[in-house]
């Protein structure tokens, strides 16, 4: 790898180990085996490098959600029922929690910085929209190309749910929702409240 790639990999490691605020340019240089001048030459600033490193980490996390599906290439594809696909995806998300806890913590830290960092907010806007489409496709089986509006609203729903689940798992893993809890909750919402009996009105 060249210095550009080394810096990106070093920045990713620093983000996972130290977080966004505590990572310095010297930390990145030490982790990447490069030099301070390389950061400015290849990325313009430490912040621009960290922003890209964060986006790359979240993209890699998202790709891992579909990796199990990719391993089944060559086998006949049997579409899963929407609720089954939803549950199976959440089983992968929650099942990987211990291995990806640092990514979840990092996402919460970055969210807390948005209001005070316009450049970070700007850098995340495009990837956030793309991430919604990816969640709609992965969790709900909705193709963003053929059903863009349906994918948009489903992606918004999945993204909101993902953020809430992250917070619950980081605060108290013992009482955090399981994949089945989330599926049952979605079913309860879809079923709605039964109509009141005539005599109870």
């Amino acid at each position: 790898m060249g210095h550009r790639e080394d810096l990106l990999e070093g920045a990713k490691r620093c983000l996972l180990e130290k977080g966004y605020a505590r990572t310095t340019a010297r930390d990145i240089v030490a982790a990447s085996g490069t030099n301070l001048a390389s950061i400015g030459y290849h990325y313009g600033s430490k912040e621009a490098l960290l922003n890209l490193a964060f986006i790359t980490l979240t993209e890699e996390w998202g790709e891992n959600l579909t990796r199990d599906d990719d391993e089944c290439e060559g086998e006949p594809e049997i579409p899963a029922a929407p609720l089954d696909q939803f549950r199976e995806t959440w089983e992968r998300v929650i099942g990987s929690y211990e291995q990806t806890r640092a990514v979840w913590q990092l996402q919460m830290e970055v969210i807390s910085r948005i209001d005070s960092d316009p450049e970070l907010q700007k850098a995340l806007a495009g990837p956030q929209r793309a991430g919604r489409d990816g969640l709609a496709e992965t969790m709900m089986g909705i193709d963003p190309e053929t059903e863009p509006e349906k994918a948009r609203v489903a992606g918004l729903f999945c993204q909101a749910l993902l953020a809430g689940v992250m917070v619950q798992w980081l605060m108290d893993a013992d009482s955090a929702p399981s994949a089945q809890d989330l599926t049952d909750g979605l079913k309860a919402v879809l079923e709605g409240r039964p109509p009141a009996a005539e005599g109870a009105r």
Side-chain angles (χ1 to χ4, degrees):
M1 291 191 297
H3 276 198
R4 182 177 178 84
E5 294 78 13
D6 290 338
L7 284 166
L8 184 59
E9 290 302 313
K12 285 160 56 180
R13 287 197 297 275
C14 288
L15 283 175
L16 294 176
E17 293 170 5
K18 300 173 71 71
Y20 195 103
R22 293 178 58 226
T23 294
T24 67
R26 292 189 182 280
D27 290 331
I28 298 171
V29 167
S32 61
T34 59
N35 55 69
L36 287 171
S38 294
I39 295 177
Y41 178 78
H42 289 290
Y43 294 97
S45 68
K46 180 198 77 171
E47 289 71 25
L49 171 55
L50 288 178
N51 293 348
L52 179 60
F54 170 71
I55 291 168
T56 303
L57 282 168
T58 55
E59 287 175 345
E60 291 171 351
W61 178 85
E63 289 168 3
N64 285 334
L65 294 184
T66 58
R67 186 160 295 170
D68 289 347
D69 296 335
D70 294 340
E71 291 172 357
C72 297
E73 285 186 10
E75 298 179 10
E77 185 175 346
I78 303 174
L83 283 175
D84 290 338
Q85 180 168 347
F86 181 84
R87 187 192 67 254
E88 289 165 6
T89 303
W90 275 106
E91 284 174 350
R92 291 200 294 274
V93 172
I94 294 171
S96 68
Y97 171 71
E98 290 302 329
Q99 292 74 37
T100 59
R101 181 183 177 91
V103 177
W104 290 35
Q105 290 174 320
L106 177 62
Q107 292 196 46
M108 292 297 104
E109 181 191 357
V110 168
I111 289 170
S112 73
R113 296 179 60 86
I114 290 292
D115 282 347
S116 61
D117 192 337
E119 288 303 313
L120 177 60
Q121 185 177 38
K122 183 178 177 181
L124 296 180
Q128 183 182 32
R129 295 188 189 101
R132 289 171 185 160
D133 284 347
L135 288 171
E137 188 167 18
T138 300
M139 291 188 172
M140 310 294 285
I142 300 170
D143 185 350
E145 292 189 5
T146 59
E147 299 181 282
E149 178 58 18
K150 188 175 181 180
R152 184 186 72 83
V153 295
L156 287 168
F157 168 76
C158 291
Q159 193 173 57
L161 189 58
L162 181 60
V165 171
M166 281 186 182
V167 170
Q168 291 183 68
W169 271 88
L170 288 170
M171 290 182 65
D172 182 8
D174 290 338
S175 67
S178 67
Q180 190 61 54
D181 288 334
L182 294 171
T183 306
D184 291 343
L186 179 57
K187 287 168 65 177
V189 171
L190 292 174
E191 291 167 359
R193 182 177 179 179
E198 285 293 330
R201 291 180 182 175

